[in-house]
Amino acid sequence: MAKIAFFGLGNMGGPMAANLVRAGHSVAGSDPSAVARTAASLAGVSIAATANDAMQGAEIVITMLPSGRHVLALYNDLLPLAAAGTLFIDSSTIEITDARAAHTAASTAGMRAIDAPVSGGTGGATAGTLTFMCGGADADFAAAHLVLAQMGRNIFHSGAAGAGQAAKICNNLILGISMIAVSEAFVLAEKLGLAADQMFKVAAVSSGQCWSLTTYCPEPGLVPTSPANRDYQGGFAAALMLKDLHLAMAAAKSSGAAGGLGPLATDIYQRFCDEGGAGRDFSAIITALRAASTSP
């Protein structure tokens, strides 16, 4: 089993680190949040007082951070502390250019690296059923595969450095748009007098079926794994969805890809966050649609 340094023990990183502990790895972790540190400690993660402490003897370094800026700054601190050949796995969702810069920095320092953003939400992180989309050299992906498989069910090698991030932002573009579509459908069903459970039963086995409906339904009481059942607390914050949509829109602009629904979804989530929804799960967008609806 490996000695792992894990930086970023929040809603996603904490359960991921806990699964590595359960798999038998020695995991030293760090996070600026006292709440996150306490939860991780209760799950068996050894909380490091400093980055240097976390890096002592580490064979693998995993990061789950808010932005590329945070990843690159941390790499700048960690790379001098790492033994040659240490494998760096970044599971943050960041700009492709930042992911490639992280690869370059690691390679220049004599390390191995892959970008490995995830999909599957907090439920997948807890259950160990995440999907990892990876970018990097074949040998580095092979070295990372075992540890990733102990946190996820589907492990994809998407291509060279940055390819994992490309796959992630394209996937989350679909997710952001589909959640709005599912939410609009439930609001419309309600207006038309169709009970939510009947709407769900039909759509779940018909052409409207999608992950946003059957795994992460924005209507409370229909899917046990949905944050809708907890007043949209926890899960994947709307601010993070907005971040991913902005990443997708920036990538579309730089690559010349055309689109119409992406910019519209970005605007919808921007308004939701600006009006106080940033900290709620992104599926709470249904509450904004309900509030904006009018009587016939």
Side-chain angles (χ1 to χ4, degrees):
M1 292 296 156
K3 186 170 177 56
I4 300 171
F6 203 117
F7 295 89
L9 300 170
N11 289 341
M12 294 294 292
M16 291 165 65
N19 282 329
L20 293 175
V21 171
R22 279 190 283 273
H25 298 288
S26 173
V27 182
S30 177
D31 193 280
S33 165
V35 173
R37 292 195 302 270
T38 298
S41 178
L42 291 173
V45 176
S46 175
I47 303 303
T50 67
N52 188 60
D53 291 340
M55 291 295 290
Q56 291 299 313
E59 304 160 74
I60 299 171
V61 177
I62 301 175
T63 47
M64 176 62 92
L65 302 174
S67 71
R69 173 174 57 86
H70 293 94
V71 172
L72 293 174
L74 186 60
Y75 272 37
N76 187 59
D77 292 338
L78 298 183
L79 289 171
L81 303 174
T86 299
L87 176 61
F88 279 71
I89 301 172
D90 180 39
S91 287
S92 317
T93 299
I94 61 177
E95 290 189 12
I96 296 170
T97 53
D98 287 338
R100 290 173 177 161
H103 274 266
T104 298
S107 177
T108 300
M111 310 299 165
R112 299 176 293 168
I114 64 167
D115 51 287
V118 304
S119 179
T122 53
T126 300
T129 58
L130 292 170
T131 293
F132 285 89
M133 297 147 275
C134 305
D138 290 346
D140 296 341
F141 171 73
H145 191 279
L146 176 61
V147 71
L148 295 180
Q150 290 165 340
M151 298 182 286
R153 180 176 293 164
N154 301 297
I155 321 296
F156 297 104
H157 189 196
S158 300
Q165 296 296 343
K168 174 61 187 290
I169 63 173
C170 290
N171 178 78
N172 273 24
L173 176 61
I174 296 172
L175 177 61
I177 293 170
S178 66
M179 183 57 75
I180 294 171
V182 170
S183 297
E184 286 190 6
F186 273 106
V187 172
L188 177 59
E190 181 180 307
K191 287 289 188 179
L192 297 175
L194 178 63
D197 62 334
Q198 295 303 317
M199 159 71 191
F200 180 82
K201 287 177 183 178
V202 171
V205 294
S206 300
S207 55
Q209 190 280 327
C210 61
W211 190 90
S212 292
L213 175 71
T214 55
T215 300
Y216 218 78
C217 186
E219 179 70 26
L222 298 176
V223 174
T225 54
S226 174
N229 304 327
R230 305 185 299 274
D231 193 29
Y232 306 97
Q233 299 304 306
F236 187 58
L240 295 177
M241 172 53 75
L242 179 60
K243 182 197 81 168
D244 289 359
L245 289 171
H246 278 305
L247 290 175
M249 293 305 95
K253 182 177 180 180
S254 64
S255 65
L261 293 180
L264 182 57
T266 304
D267 289 344
I268 291 171
Y269 272 103
Q270 185 69 65
R271 288 196 300 274
F272 182 63
C273 290
D274 290 345
E275 293 170 1
R280 306 184 79 190
D281 183 77
F282 79 105
S283 61
I285 197 69
I286 193 172
T287 64
L289 294 172
R290 267 205 186 95
S293 298
T294 61
S295 299

